[in-house]
Amino acid sequence: MTTVEQSPPPSSQLRELVFGAARAAAVRAAARLGVADALDDVPMSAEELAAAVKTQPGTLRRLLRALVCQGVFTERPDGTFAHTEMSRLLREDDPNSLRYIALWCTEPWTWNVWPKLDEAVRDGGNVFQKVYGKEFFPYLNDDAPESAHVFNRAMTTSSSQSAKDVAKLLDLRGVTSVADIGGGQGHVVASLLEKHPALHGTLLDLPGVVENADPRLREGGALAGRVRIVAGDCREDIPVQADVYIIKNILEWDDESTRRALANVRAAARPGARVVVIENLVDDTPSMRFTTAMDLLLLLNVGGAKHTRQSMVDRLTAAGLVIGEIRPVNPYLHAFECTVPG
Ligand SMILES: C[S@@+](CC[C@H](N)C(=O)[O-])C[C@H]1O[C@@H](n2cnc3c(N)ncnc32)[C@H](O)[C@@H]1O
């Protein structure tokens, strides 16, 4: 039976650390094979699971053994495998599923850019363009449809989990319109419109993203009558008038893109409009390992960064916004409430 090891000595810890790719690959393989989906509450043998997910039993057992060491699945004394809290999160139908986040963090392009981290640290910029010959988002939407799908599902997962928190936090009394800039498939807009029956909303994101907007917002959807969907590039133009602009997990790319996006919000917004910027902060998070890893991935793919409270304040101030309260949305996200000056 495979067991979870407790606190190995430093030499083992470092050896394990440099084999992190194997752990990420094991989780990815399990997610792609659908192992967690095939297993429900009844424990199964490796042979039964292999038949269900169409793999060789011997190699599936090896994969499971590697995962069990990390607490993903457990092996019982009779040699059958059962779910743990972590393995359940790989199920597509779990209400808190992280299946698409697991796939997103391990997509094929990530394996091509990680080896260039020393280069990115030395030069201080993104390496994606050098590896793929174009910017990250155009590559994703034009050349890697499967990765784009995974990305959009992963964003939807994290948005749907945080959208309710955003809806709870935002005081929209007296507000008639909101706009979500780079709002992905529109989970935040949909949550806000559902909570506030008189509110109108706009969702702006890249064409390939909004064409797969949340069904509630698309023609025939319950909220379609109160939403406008704009396909566009917020670094070029934000042709949207709203009382409140939401910019969530967007300003993590290169500084010039952040500068242009904020300048376009300022140009579009009337004096007194609110701009709510929502970000994970690398200096205020309960999950430092995840956030610092994402920070490095953002350096590699878009030349970006997870912000500190101060680096966010600096950019919002430089854009001429008046910063009000900075409040936690949930343990992972902070909202910077800003106003467009008169
Ligand atoms: C990290 S996701 C965040 C999505 C959403 N705001 C959320 O919090 O779930 C970044 C989003 O920015 C969008 N995006 C990237 N470049 C953009 C651009 N130039 N103009 C508008 N949206 C863009 C992506 O398509 C994606 O939906």
Side-chain angles (χ1 to χ4, degrees), residues 137 155 159 182-184 205-206 209 232-235 248-250 253:
F137 282 109
M155 289 309 111
S159 296
D205 206 298
L206 298 170
V209 177
D233 181 338
C234 65
R235 292 173 305 180
K248 176 170 169 288
N249 289 125
I250 301 297
W253 50 17

Side-chain angles (χ1 to χ4, degrees), residues 6-22:
Q6 302 297 331
S7 299
S11 60
S12 301
Q13 283 183 39
L14 188 61
R15 278 148 55 123
E16 286 176 10
L17 195 58
V18 294
F19 239 152

